[in-house]
Amino acid sequence: ALKGVVCAACDGLGDPPIREVAVGEGNAACGLCPSGQVVVEGDRTQCAPCVAGRFEDEATHACENCPDDYYNDEGKAACTRCGDGSFTSDDWTTCTPCDAGQYEDLAEFLGDGYTINTFRYTCVNCPDDYYSDEGKSECKHCGDGAAVNSAKSACAACAAGRYAAASGQSACTACPANSFASGLGNAKCMCEAGHFEDASDGTCKECPADEYSSNGETTCRRCGGGEEVNEDQSGCALCVAGQAGTDGTC
């Protein structure tokens, strides 16, 4: 050192203090560590990168935990936000996609390391009548004629004899009495032959004695002249020899 000049330890200035370092010998002044690195605790001669899950705070030049929903690899100056449909690990080092049947949302944590009313982004289960693929930030309804599967990961078409009348059903419903649903993915059941759809309540009722209907028809009809309604009221039959009819009976 020059006469009258002494070497002094590097000290932070300001509030909060700036963390300074002097690497090696012969330094005329203290300086800051490179971006993404900080002074080694208790040692003003070395810089070290922030460990994974932490970043260099520009105000204090100290390592701080990444914000919620962000992560960081070791030595990076800034944290990176996790993509939609994924959440930060507990140590802020990686992002994990939400499983199928889940979505990303804020949730309250009360376990070790967290206090009451501490919220973090995490994956939560979809509601009963919703589904999601892996890595999604929201859940969706199934369309008409389908219901959410047990894993809440996809929609399953209703089987024959069952239906889902509106989107967002958690289960397909069996067709009521006197109705049917053929094939897959039915949003409605149809009336069986010999029945009609009652507009007041949507149920299938028997046709009047002198009328008939085919499968899937909503109204009943009379037979033409020389015909009568057959036994199951699904159609008309010709009057046999020696008989005649004009009102659906022979």
Side-chain angles (χ1 to χ4, degrees):
L2 298 175
K3 186 176 181 180
V5 178
V6 296
C7 295
C10 295
D11 290 314
L13 302 175
D15 183 19
I18 300 299
R19 306 190 70 181
E20 297 178 319
V21 68
V23 179
E25 298 178 346
N27 296 286
C30 299
L32 298 178
C33 291
S35 178
Q37 296 187 22
V38 296
V39 178
V40 174
E41 191 69 33
D43 186 350
R44 296 288 184 171
T45 67
Q46 298 183 61
C47 294
C50 294
V51 298
R54 294 167 69 85
F55 73 105
E56 180 196 4
D57 187 299
E58 293 183 357
T60 63
H61 296 283
C63 292
E64 304 289 349
N65 289 335
C66 289
D68 184 37
D69 207 32
Y70 283 73
Y71 75 100
N72 195 4
D73 297 327
E74 184 175 348
K76 290 187 177 179
C79 300
T80 303
R81 188 183 183 280
C82 292
D84 291 343
S86 62
F87 68 101
T88 313
S89 60
D90 288 341
D91 58 4
W92 296 277
T93 60
T94 58
C95 293
T96 303
C98 295
D99 292 333
Q102 296 185 323
Y103 70 104
E104 180 191 12
D105 198 8
L106 281 171
E108 186 173 11
F109 281 76
L110 301 176
D112 293 342
Y114 300 100
T115 59
I116 294 176
N117 296 326
T118 296
F119 288 82
R120 289 189 62 193
Y121 281 99
T122 187
C123 295
V124 296
N125 293 331
C126 292
D128 288 342
D129 53 350
Y130 286 75
Y131 78 98
S132 74
D133 300 324
E134 181 182 292
K136 298 297 182 183
S137 59
E138 63 180 5
C139 302
K140 297 180 179 180
H141 276 308
C142 293
D144 295 350
V148 179
N149 64 10
S150 59
K152 299 181 183 179
S153 61
C155 296
C158 295
R162 306 182 72 85
Y163 74 104
S167 64
Q169 297 295 305
S170 57
C172 297
T173 304
C175 289
N178 306 318
S179 66
F180 72 99
S182 58
L184 300 176
N186 294 285
K188 181 180 179 180
C189 297
M190 307 298 292
C191 292
E192 296 175 343
H195 298 78
F196 71 100
E197 184 177 335
D198 189 330
S200 66
D201 59 11
T203 60
C204 296
K205 305 281 180 64
E206 289 186 5
C207 291
D210 57 350
E211 295 182 5
Y212 76 97
S213 71
S214 301
N215 275 334
E217 291 187 327
T218 58
T219 58
C220 301
R221 305 190 301 274
R222 286 180 177 272
C223 294
E227 297 178 330
E228 67 175 350
V229 177
N230 60 15
E231 185 175 352
D232 62 5
Q233 292 183 267
S234 63
C236 298
L238 295 174
C239 295
V240 298
Q243 293 182 336
T246 58
D247 59 358
T249 60
C250 296

